[in-house]
Amino acid sequence: MTDTLTLFVDSQYASPYAMSVFVALDVKQIPFELRTIDLGAAGHLAPPFAALSATRRVPTLVHGEFTLSESSAIAEYIEDAFPGPRVYPADARAKARARQVQAWLRSDLMPIRVERNTEVVFYGKHGPALSDAAHAAAAKLYAAVDALLPAGQQNLCGEWSIADVDLALMLNRLVMNGDAVPARLAEYARRQWQHPSVQRWVAFERPPLSA
Ligand SMILES: N[C@@H](CCC(=O)N[C@@H](CS)C(=O)NCC(=O)O)C(=O)O
């Protein structure tokens, strides 16, 4: 395919969903233009982005005439439409597992997402002690990862996949805040964070947080 590719992300580079798509494109070594939308200034609700993105959310990918949002749908499209290193496992069950974890992280664990938002991860902010609801969500997260990541295994699905990036982000909300995370899971999150494509996202210069 020769159509140009543009990825719209938030101007703070703090969206975990935008990061996931950025990493997928970077791993595939696909040239693309990165454009930022200032969500704080409602840039996603104004033209030209609002006219482009049906759901008015980042990340949004534009590939020629085709526009797509929802990060895991974009990652799957990238995998299917482009050659290069895989971002999902080839094995059907391993791939389904990666998709399961991505869908779960996007639909559950809300107290962690609220009380440990990504400013913890990308701006070094720290939050107050977790509420009971967030403690319960963290316990659920740890139990799930403990069950899904066999001891001694480096990646969720055996080989690296984009689900590792999403899972490491969720764990790092807690790890980077200094919350008590089981050592094996904290070590997994720290190791996954060193992935070169993740580090390229982390290194983006961010505007200061508004007061
Ligand atoms: N499920 C979506 C979530 C995307 C999302 O929540 N994007 C936020 C930024 S992190 C956004 O665009 N917020 C503006 C809005 O929803 O109006 C995905 O995986 O892409």
Side-chain angles (χ1 to χ4, degrees):
M1 288 194 196
T2 54
D3 288 334
T4 58
L5 264 181
T6 306
L7 176 64
F8 289 87
V9 303
D10 61 310
S11 55
Q12 292 189 316
Y13 302 102
S15 164
Y17 316 109
M19 180 182 86
S20 188
V21 172
F22 172 87
V23 169
L25 285 167
D26 198 62
V27 165
K28 284 275 188 198
Q29 296 161 21
I30 306 166
F32 64 100
E33 182 189 358
L34 190 63
R35 292 184 55 184
T36 59
I37 299 293
D38 186 347
L39 300 178
H44 55 307
L45 305 179
F49 184 75
L52 197 65
S53 173
T55 54
R56 300 179 178 181
R57 291 180 125 187
V58 293
T60 289
L61 183 79
V62 181
H63 186 205
E65 301 295 305
F66 181 60
T67 302
L68 186 66
S69 59
E70 289 301 316
S71 55
S72 53
I74 300 172
E76 288 186 41
Y77 174 70
I78 291 166
E79 181 79 308
D80 293 343
F82 296 94
R86 300 193 63 83
V87 295
Y88 286 100
D91 173 77
R93 290 186 180 182
K95 186 177 188 177
R97 181 71 71 215
R99 286 169 165 162
Q100 174 199 347
V101 168
Q102 285 196 298
W104 179 58
L105 293 172
R106 284 160 176 70
S107 61
D108 200 355
L109 310 172
M110 190 52 95
I112 301 175
R113 290 196 268 161
V114 170
E115 294 179 35
R116 297 291 181 259
N117 68 35
T118 57
E119 289 175 4
V120 171
V121 175
F122 297 117
Y123 280 89
K125 274 188 77 171
H126 283 75
L130 294 172
S131 66
D132 289 349
H135 271 301
K140 185 180 182 183
L141 171 65
Y142 303 152
V145 183
D146 211 37
L148 292 171
L149 184 71
Q153 192 167 299
Q154 304 273 309
N155 305 306
L156 193 59
C157 303
E159 65 195 278
W160 177 89
S161 79
I162 196 65
D164 287 301
V165 175
D166 296 343
L167 185 54
L169 184 287
M170 182 61 78
L171 286 165
N172 273 328
R173 292 172 186 263
L174 299 152
V175 172
M176 292 184 186
N177 192 71
D179 296 304
V181 176
R184 185 173 80 89
L185 309 190
E187 149 61 15
Y188 161 82
R190 286 197 194 94
R191 189 170 8 87
Q192 291 293 342
W193 211 245
Q194 296 314 309
H195 190 292
S197 301
V198 172
Q199 284 299 305
R200 272 192 272 284
W201 176 267
V202 170
F204 281 127
E205 193 175 331
R206 293 178 166 76
L209 291 173
S210 45

